[in-house]
Amino acid sequence: MTGRLSRRRLLGWAGAGAAVAGAGAVTACSASLAPVAEGVVPFRGERQAGIVTPAQDRLHFVALDLTTDNRDRVRALLQKWTTAAERMTAGAETAPGGAVGGNPDGPPADTGEALGLPAAKLTLTFGVGPGFFDKLGLDPALRPAGLAELPRFTLDQLDPALSGGDLCIQACADDPQVAVHAVRNLVRMGFGTTTVRWSQLGFGRTSSTSTAQATPRNLFGFKDGTRNLKAEDGAELDQHVWVQPADGPPWLAGGTYLVARRIRMHIEIWDRTSLTEQETIIGRTKGEGAALGATGEFDPADFAAIGPDGQPRIGEVAHIRLASAEALNGVRILRRGYNFVDGSDGQGHLNAGLFFVAFMRDPHAQFVPMQRALANNDVMMEYIEHTGSAVFACPPGLTEGQYWAQPLLEA
Amino acid sequence: MSRTSRAAVRVTTVIGAAAALAACTSTAPPSGGDAAGGGPIAVTAADASCDVAAAEAPAGKITFSVRNTGSKITEFYLYGTGDRIMGEVENIGPGLTRDLIVEVPDGGSYTTACKPGMVGDGIRAPFTVTGSATRSVDENTRLAEATTGYHRWVTSQIEALVPKTQEFVDAVKAGDVETAKALFPVARTYWERIEPVAESFGDIDPKIDGREDDERDAGVQFTGYHRLEKDLWVDGLQADSPAMADQLMADIRDLQSRTATVELTPVQLANGAKELLDEVATGKITGEEDRYSHTDLWDFKANVEGSQGAVASLRPVIDEKDPTLGPVLDERFAAVDALLEEYRVGDGYRLYTELTDEDKRRMAEAVDALGEPVSQVAGVVTS
Ligand SMILES: [Cu+2]
C-alpha cells in the first residue's frame, strides 16, 4: 500500500481543482470509480464505447487468437479483462496498487507506464471473430451471418499475419501511451489463453464521428470522412450501424460489426502526382475539402453537375462518388480509421497508410459492395494496397456487473 | 548464457555447507544392507521396461536399488506432485546397479520413472507412500526443504555434467569431430538446466557459455562450449582446440566445486526458473545461442527442465500459498513438453534451421503462456 499513485486520483481530485487534503479523502476516492471524471468515457452503457464516441487521437488495435477450446477458461479471461478494462478506462491501474503497491518480490500486476497519466478518454471496444465460434464449439445458431469471411477483392494483397483473429480489442485514447498500456496489460493477462495475431498502432484519426469534430486529413493530405455517419445521426445509426433484433442471434442485438483493413499507401508515388490529378481522383479539393464544383466542405456534392468540358464535374470514378450512398443504393458505414506509419520498408519508402476501421450493421450488405466498387474502379487503387483484413462482431454495451460477451458465452 | 546482467542475483557462500549437504546427496554406492522399512525395493531397468518390485512403501526413508539390464545409460526418478523430484539417480550404465535413497515424509501419490537413454518422460508407474513420518512442517521448514531439494537436484545435474563434458572434451582432443558433434548438445543439456546457478557466480558463465561477439577485456579469449562449437561446425579443429577443451573442463570443475558451497534462497530459485524461460525466449527461439550447430532445441528442452526443477522444489510452498497456481504451472509445462515432442528426432531434436516461422511462433506462444505463471512464483512464495 506504499507509494501508490492512482491516475484516477490525480484526475478526479487534483485535476478537478480540489486539493487532496489527506489520506481520508484519498481512500474515499479510490474506493469507488464513480463519479465520472473529466477525460473519462463511461465503460458501461447501452453501446460499447469507442464506436460513436468522438474519435480520439490515437489507436492501438489488437487481434488475438484463442489457444484453448476451454470455454470456462475463456470466460474467466473475459471476466478478468472486463474488470481491468473498466478500471483502466477510468484512469486506474489494472488492479489496486498494481504497479508499485504489491509484493516487491513478484512482478507488478500493472506494467506501470500509465502511472500518473490521465484516462485520456481511453475506450476499449471488444469484438469476436469467426474463429471464436468454431474453437469454442459454440452452437452454430449463435454465429451471426455477418461474420462470414469477406470475399477477396480485386488487387487485395492480404498478408495472413496481418489478417483475421478470434477476438479483437480496439483501444482508443488521446494519449498513445495510455492506449498501448491498456493493450499490453490485456495481452499479458491473456497469455496461455490467447495469443496476439497482429496489432496496429494508429495516430491522427482519419475520420470524425461527431459533428463537434473538425474533419482530419489522411496521409494523402486530404480531409477524410466529411460525409461520415456521426454520433448525432440517431435513426441513421439504427439503420446503418446497430444490429437490430430481427437481424440475427439475440446476443448481438444492439451491437455492431467491425471491419478492419490495413491499407498501405504508396505515399512517394502520390506525392509525385499533380494537384489536379490528386483532386480528380478524390473528387474534392485538397485545401477546403469541398466536393468539386462546390465551395464549402459540407456543401452537398452534386454528382449530376457537368463541367465546362462536358464531362461530369465529379468524375465517374472519383473516390467520393464510388463510395457515396448515392452510388451504392443508400449504403453508409461509420468509419473510425487512423493513419499509421510503421517505420520504413527497407527500400527507402514509408511503410505507411490508413488503418481503416468501420462499424456497420451488416458487412456483406454495406462494406462488401462499397469495397467492391472501389477495388474495381477507383483510380486511387494505383496508390494503395490492402494488406490486412478482418471482421469482428461487437456485442452491445455492458450492463452493471456484466463481462465482455457474457450474453454470448452464457446463451 | 543469458544476455542480460545477473548482477542483482547474489549468492551466499556458506563455509561448511558442503559437509552438511553430503548427507543429502541422492546417490549412494550400491549397498546390500537393509534400509528402514524392510530393505531396498528392487528396480529392474531395461530399455523398454521398468519393473519396480513394490508399488507402495511407508513414509520415511525409502531405498530403491536400480539395476540396468538394458543397453542404454539410464536414470531413475521418484516424483511428487507437479513432477517435483523427490530423488533420482543418473548415469546408470548397462549392467550397473545403483541405489536411490530418498526421504519421503508425507504419504500420498508419487511416480517412479526409468529413463533409458536419459530422454523423455521415461517409463512411469504410480507409487504410493503410506502414513507419514511425523515432523513439524512450518513455513521455514518447507522453504528450507525447497532450497535443499533444489540444491540436491543441481548437484545431481553437475554429477552428470562433468563426465558428459569430459567425453565431449576427450572427443575434441582425439580429433574425433563426429563424436564430438554428437556429444555437444548432450553435454550442454546438464549445463543449460542449471545455468542460473552458474550465472550467479558471474565469472563462470561467460567463460563456459560466452559468445564470440561478446565484449571481453583485452587479452581475454573466447572460450567454452561455443568456441568449440564453432571449431567443430565452421572452422574445423584448430591448433588450440585441445587447449580450449581442457579449459572448458577446468571451468566446469570450478563450477562443480563452487556449487557445492552455494546456498540459494527461495526467491533465487523462483527467479532462476523465470530466467531459464527468458533464456528460451531470447536465445533459443531466436536460434541465437547455438548459431553454428543449430542444436538450440536441446538447450530449449534443458532450460525448461531446469525451470521445472526449480519450480518443483518450491511446489509444496506454492500449493500452500496459492492452490490455483500449481495446476496452471503443470498444464503449461506439459504444453511446452508436448510441443517439443513434436520436434523430436530420435534421441534429439530437429535443427533450428529446419524450423518454419510458424514453428517458432508456436514455441514463442507456449513460452509466453508458461512464463507468466512462472513469473508469479517468486511473489507467491514470499507472500
Ligand atoms: Cu546458455
Side-chain angles (χ1 to χ4, degrees), chain B residues 1-2 188 191-192 195 199 205 209 211 226 279 284 289 299 303:
Chain B
M1 175 184 162
S2 159
R188 284 182 56 75
W191 160 261
E192 288 287 330
E195 208 175 343
E199 279 175 355
D205 190 61
D209 204 32
R211 312 289 203 278
H226 297 300
E279 276 235 18
K284 278 70 181 189
E289 172 121 25
D299 292 14
N303 285 156

Side-chain angles (χ1 to χ4, degrees), chain A residues 261-278:
Chain A
R261 304 278 292 181
R262 184 179 184 277
I263 305 171
R264 167 83 194 269
M265 290 174 161
H266 298 293
I267 304 272
E268 293 79 3
I269 312 295
W270 179 261
D271 293 347
R272 293 198 280 267
T273 304
S274 76
L275 179 61
T276 305
E277 173 83 3
Q278 290 182 2

Side-chain angles (χ1 to χ4, degrees), chain B residues 237-252:
Chain B
L237 290 177
Q238 304 292 301
D240 66 346
S241 296
M244 287 295 134
D246 284 335
Q247 182 62 51
L248 171 63
M249 206 54 231
D251 291 333
I252 292 282

Side-chain angles (χ1 to χ4, degrees), chain A residues 181-224:
Chain A
H181 168 262
V183 167
R184 172 179 170 190
N185 280 272
L186 297 174
V187 164
R188 180 186 174 198
M189 288 175 203
F191 285 130
T193 306
T194 55
T195 179
V196 172
R197 191 175 170 93
W198 54 271
S199 76
Q200 183 68 54
L201 288 169
F203 64 92
R205 63 183 170 86
T206 58
S207 37
S208 37
T209 52
S210 165
T211 52
Q213 293 179 300
T215 311
R217 291 179 187 272
N218 61 27
L219 292 181
F220 281 161
F222 278 78
K223 289 188 179 178
D224 206 341

Side-chain angles (χ1 to χ4, degrees), chain A residues 27-258:
Chain A
T27 309
C29 174
S30 5
S32 161
L33 294 172
V36 173
E38 199 195 329
V40 172
V41 179
F43 181 72
R44 294 179 193 271
E46 190 189 1
R47 317 287 184 196
Q48 285 200 70
I51 300 170
V52 295
T53 306
Q56 301 92 323
D57 293 338
R58 304 290 185 139
L59 168 85
H60 190 179
F61 189 97
V62 63
L64 306 113
D65 281 337
L66 292 173
T67 55
T68 178
D69 55 10
N70 183 324
R71 240 179 272 181
D72 290 336
R73 185 153 335 143
V74 173
R75 181 180 302 126
L77 176 62
L78 292 178
Q79 285 166 339
K80 219 169 144 185
W81 269 356
T82 305
T83 305
E86 182 164 23
R87 290 185 55 86
M88 289 191 287
T89 56
E93 297 158 86
T94 53
V100 292
N103 180 345
D105 286 322
D110 183 291
T111 56
E113 72 273 29
L115 268 186
L117 297 178
K121 298 202 188 104
L122 173 69
T123 55
L124 292 161
T125 314
F126 176 80
V128 294
F132 189 84
F133 297 83
D134 304 335
K135 282 196 185 157
L136 293 184
L138 298 178
D139 180 350
L142 291 171
R143 183 176 169 151
L147 261 190
E149 297 289 356
L150 299 173
R152 185 186 177 281
F153 299 101
T154 305
L155 298 176
D156 267 5
Q157 300 277 337
L158 301 184
D159 179 349
L162 300 171
S163 301
D166 298 336
L167 302 163
C168 77
I169 299 168
Q170 173 195 264
C172 297
D174 285 341
D175 181 336
Q177 183 118 335
V178 168
V180 167
H181 168 262
V183 167
R184 172 179 170 190
N185 280 272
L186 297 174
V187 164
R188 180 186 174 198
M189 288 175 203
F191 285 130
T193 306
T194 55
T195 179
V196 172
R197 191 175 170 93
W198 54 271
S199 76
Q200 183 68 54
L201 288 169
F203 64 92
R205 63 183 170 86
T206 58
S207 37
S208 37
T209 52
S210 165
T211 52
Q213 293 179 300
T215 311
R217 291 179 187 272
N218 61 27
L219 292 181
F220 281 161
F222 278 78
K223 289 188 179 178
D224 206 341
T226 298
R227 300 184 83 208
N228 199 19
L229 278 170
K230 306 237 166 36
E232 295 80 3
D233 285 341
E236 292 268 289
L237 295 178
D238 283 339
Q239 190 189 335
H240 300 292
V241 177
W242 306 124
V243 173
Q244 299 301 307
D247 291 352
W251 69 269
L252 191 58
T256 182
Y257 291 93
L258 183 161

Side-chain angles (χ1 to χ4, degrees), chain B residues 17-27:
Chain B
L21 286 162
C24 310
T25 188
S26 59
T27 56

